[in-house]
Amino acid sequence: MIGYYIHHHGRGHLSRAVAIARALELPVTGLSSLPRPAEWAGDWLALPTDEGHAALDPDAHGELHWAPLGHAGLRSRMARIAEWIDRQQPRALVVDVSVEVGLLARLHGVPVVTIAMPGRRTDRAHVLGYAISSAVIGAWPPAATGMGGGLPPLDERLHAVGAISRFAPAEPRAPAPPAGPRRAVVLGGAGGDSFTSEAIGRASAATPGWDWLHLGAHGTWVDDPWGALLAADVVITHAGESAIAEVAAARRPAIVIPQPRPHDEQRSAAEVLAGPDWPALVLPEWPADGWPALLESASQLDARGWQAWNDGHGAERAAAVILAASRVRSAA
């Protein structure tokens, strides 16, 4: 049996976990303070939250990310994970993402597979978390070398498996001439973004040949944006890994606007996406004007280039890495 720790911020960690769990040959137990999703097939260990009040020395003098002294929620959370490890004896624990949970599992003699995140992650806590991992998975293609540019050297333990999406990739299609109003889909996220209704309204008013649809926390939230993505002529999105994976699966040209995140996560991803290999225009912020030209330029990109980013087999390759790490068992 495999354990899978799922961070509770945003929705990208959860959607990635669901895709990887489906591809694994072993039973998978989810560990999270998020509610169990309906599509999760295995067991689910509900964890207490570790948030809620002022924190004392939360980073352990710079050695960790979140381990505040005297925090009852953190204590209960870690105790519940430790008790579960002792009772279930998992073959490996996938961590997406928490250095502290990874350390807890490794101190119990459980192989740890860490899901890496883009960004500048050379702080002591990240270096420690990667160092104790049996394997590290990057959900980006090997050609996107800058996505893991902030990772410490990991030799053969780092596996770039390709993007991981909830959706099977669509058939690639070349740009087509417009027939009636075209569709611009704004794909916001649960983690917050600068895609306000006012800004989108101004962009819509300036582009009369386009219909705009705003999905996300500040627009219309939908759990399944797949149909809207397939119908889009251009997708305007943040640079979160799951959002890019789903745009790539839909094979739609994109305008990518990275949002502020710790460790420059989205800015680092956007730097890679600005390269010539990917069908995306990358902007530093939401532009106040110029939308007719931007949408026209983006619509002419050949979105078949997303094939190299998301070929639909990232979850399977991640599962293979996890299974390999799980074969290391104690003799006791």
Side-chain angles (χ1 to χ4, degrees), residues 18 71 143 160 202 205 218 226 331:
V18 169
H71 194 298
R202 289 192 295 270
H218 299 305
W226 187 237

Side-chain angles (χ1 to χ4, degrees), residues 28-236:
V28 183
T29 296
L31 295 81
S32 182
S33 53
L34 289 170
R36 173 180 175 161
E39 62 269 31
W40 189 266
D43 292 333
W44 191 265
L45 182 69
L47 299 177
T49 181
D50 59 356
E51 300 175 336
H53 65 74
L56 178 62
D57 189 21
D59 63 358
H61 309 292
E63 299 297 329
L64 299 173
H65 287 147
W66 186 249
L69 294 172
H71 194 298
L74 176 69
R75 182 170 59 251
S76 297
R77 187 184 188 87
M78 292 303 191
R80 188 165 298 182
I81 295 173
E83 188 276 333
W84 176 84
I85 290 174
D86 186 50
R87 175 167 41 88
Q88 296 295 337
Q89 301 181 33
R91 294 175 58 170
L93 183 69
V94 183
V95 180
D96 187 2
V97 60
S98 166
V99 170
E100 293 76 23
V101 171
L103 288 173
L104 179 69
R106 186 62 185 84
L107 287 169
H108 281 75
V110 177
V112 173
V113 179
T114 293
I115 306 294
M117 300 285 287
R120 325 294 182 194
R121 300 182 186 271
T122 56
D123 58 276
R124 293 198 293 264
H126 271 114
V127 170
L128 176 60
Y130 292 134
I132 61 93
S133 298
S134 297
V136 177
I137 292 172
W140 53 75
T145 54
M147 291 284 282
L151 293 174
L154 290 167
D155 48 75
E156 72 281 355
R157 287 182 296 143
L158 176 59
H159 305 266
V161 301
I164 297 172
S165 170
R166 294 175 288 172
F167 309 115
E171 286 295 321
R173 54 179 179 173
R182 288 179 284 179
R183 171 64 62 91
V185 172
V186 180
L187 184 63
D193 56 62
S194 61
F195 305 160
T196 66
S197 297
E198 293 77 13
I200 294 170
R202 289 192 295 270
S204 177
T207 52
W210 290 76
D211 290 333
W212 287 68
L213 175 64
H214 182 193
L215 303 179
H218 299 305
T220 300
W221 181 263
V222 294
D223 290 328
D224 183 354
W226 187 237
L229 293 177
L230 291 176
D233 292 284
V234 173
V235 178
I236 300 99

Side-chain angles (χ1 to χ4, degrees), residues 7-43:
H7 193 46
H8 52 279
H9 285 174
R11 289 297 179 267
H13 305 288
L14 181 61
S15 64
R16 179 162 52 207
V18 169
I20 293 175
R22 284 174 175 164
L24 277 163
E25 300 171 358
L26 296 174
V28 183
T29 296
L31 295 81
S32 182
S33 53
L34 289 170
R36 173 180 175 161
E39 62 269 31
W40 189 266
D43 292 333

Side-chain angles (χ1 to χ4, degrees), residues 174-182 233 296 299-300:
R182 288 179 284 179
D233 292 284
E296 189 60 38
S299 71
Q300 297 306 308

